[in-house]
């Protein structure tokens, strides 16, 4: 991510020297993926490609066992391997190949859990994104010349991604120089719930909404 961002920033002349591009790219890449929430530069002005890459990195997050947010790097490694096995299974149905990570075979139940987790994250992200874009008035975007109303959809997506993955700063109106204060009360409640879901990794919160969880037998 640092290499790709550095080349992109230098080619687009965001910074005058390649050293500056590397320095800022490295810091922002680390702070986004480790979800520490720091910001030394306003990366909302880095261009669409850079913002798209940062948005993707918000979902990846830290390593397994860390206190960082996001979906964790190991889940992405497993997900890619699962997809590869399923594609191979399509044209070689008789081949039985165990899923291995770092030479250790992964149980099928874990494969199922990873796919379910990715599906839940995708479902929660899309539904929350649409809800937030619907309930938020466009007043803020209309009042600020530097933020057009057309950017509202991307800003809402950034807000959902940032809170769901416990990142802190987002893109657009939620950059490192701004905050979430302009959101409506309903929007803040939704984003707070997303923060809880992301911090506790979904299942600890979602089980509370399953009626069978409260039954004694």
């Amino acid at each position: 991510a640092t290499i790709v961002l550095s080349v992109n920033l230098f080619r687009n002349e965001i910074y005058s020297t390649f050293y500056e591009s590397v320095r800022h790219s490295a810091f922002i890449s680390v702070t986004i993926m480790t979800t520490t929430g720091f910001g030394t530069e306003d990366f909302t002005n880095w261009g669409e490609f850079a913002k798209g890459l940062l948005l993707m990195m918000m979902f990846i997050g830290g390593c397994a066992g860390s206190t960082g947010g996001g979906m964790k790097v190991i889940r992405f490694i497993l997900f890619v391997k699962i997809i590869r096995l399923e594609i191979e299974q399509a044209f070689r149905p008789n081949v039985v190949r165990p899923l291995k990570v770092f030479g250790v075979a992964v149980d099928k139940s874990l494969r199922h859990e990873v796919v379910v987790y990715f599906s839940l994250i995708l479902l929660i992200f899309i539904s929350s994104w649409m809800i937030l874009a619907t309930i938020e008035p466009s007043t803020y975007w209309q009042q600020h010349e530097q933020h057009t109303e057309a950017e509202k959809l991307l800003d809402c997506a950034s807000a959902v991604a940032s809170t769901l993955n416990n990142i802190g700063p987002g893109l657009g109106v939620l950059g490192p120089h701004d905050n979430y204060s302009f959101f409506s009360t309903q929007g803040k409640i939704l984003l707070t719930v997303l923060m809880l879901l992301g911090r506790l990794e979904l299942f600890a919160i979602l089980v509370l909404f399953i009626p069978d969880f409260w039954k004694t037998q």
Side-chain angles (χ1 to χ4, degrees):
T2 299
I3 293 172
V4 173
L5 279 176
S6 299
V7 173
N8 178 257
L9 295 179
F10 186 67
R11 288 186 61 186
N12 291 326
E13 300 181 348
I14 303 296
Y15 298 104
S16 57
T17 65
F18 188 70
Y19 168 75
E20 280 189 290
S21 300
V22 173
R23 182 164 64 88
H24 294 304
S25 297
F27 186 91
I28 296 301
S29 296
V30 170
T31 192
I32 290 293
M33 289 198 67
T34 57
T35 66
T36 48
F38 295 118
T40 56
E41 287 290 302
D42 190 1
F43 46 76
T44 57
N45 298 321
W46 282 5
E48 301 306 314
F49 174 80
K51 289 190 287 187
L53 181 58
L54 292 175
L55 185 65
M56 181 183 69
M57 289 164 60
M58 290 180 184
F59 284 93
I60 297 176
C63 293
S66 73
T67 57
M71 298 172 67
K72 302 296 189 298
V73 176
I74 188 63
R75 284 197 178 98
F76 277 86
I77 294 175
L78 286 169
F79 191 66
V80 171
K81 287 180 174 289
I82 291 170
I83 292 176
R84 182 179 177 182
L85 281 178
E86 291 299 324
I87 293 175
E88 183 182 17
Q89 195 71 29
F91 63 88
R92 291 176 180 169
N94 296 325
V95 172
V96 178
R97 196 185 306 280
L99 176 65
K100 292 185 177 181
V101 178
F102 307 119
V104 179
V106 176
D107 189 76
K108 286 188 176 181
S109 61
L110 183 58
R111 292 170 56 178
H112 176 73
E113 181 183 328
V114 169
V115 174
V116 170
Y117 191 85
F118 266 79
S119 303
L120 280 174
I121 288 290
L122 181 62
L123 178 63
I124 292 172
F125 171 71
I126 293 177
S127 58
S128 300
W129 177 18
M130 293 297 101
I131 292 172
L132 187 63
T134 302
I135 64 177
E136 280 302 310
S138 301
T139 308
Y140 182 88
W141 287 268
Q142 293 171 348
Q143 291 176 346
H144 294 74
E145 296 180 358
Q146 67 271 29
H147 301 303
T148 63
E149 191 173 352
E151 294 176 327
K152 176 184 175 182
L153 197 63
L154 177 60
D155 293 341
C156 288
S158 170
V160 171
S162 183
T163 50
L164 181 60
N165 298 296
N166 288 257
I167 304 298
L171 304 176
V173 296
L174 299 172
H177 294 205
D178 298 288
N179 54 58
Y180 294 77
S181 61
F182 67 90
F183 278 102
S184 64
T185 302
Q186 298 92 330
K188 289 176 181 175
I189 292 173
L190 173 61
L191 296 176
T192 302
V193 172
L194 291 175
M195 288 176 66
L196 290 172
L197 284 171
R199 183 73 276 173
L200 299 176
E201 300 237 333
L202 300 185
F203 295 108
I205 298 295
L206 293 178
V207 294
L208 300 176
F209 299 94
I210 305 299
D212 291 340
F213 174 77
W214 300 100
K215 294 180 180 180
T216 57
Q217 295 181 352

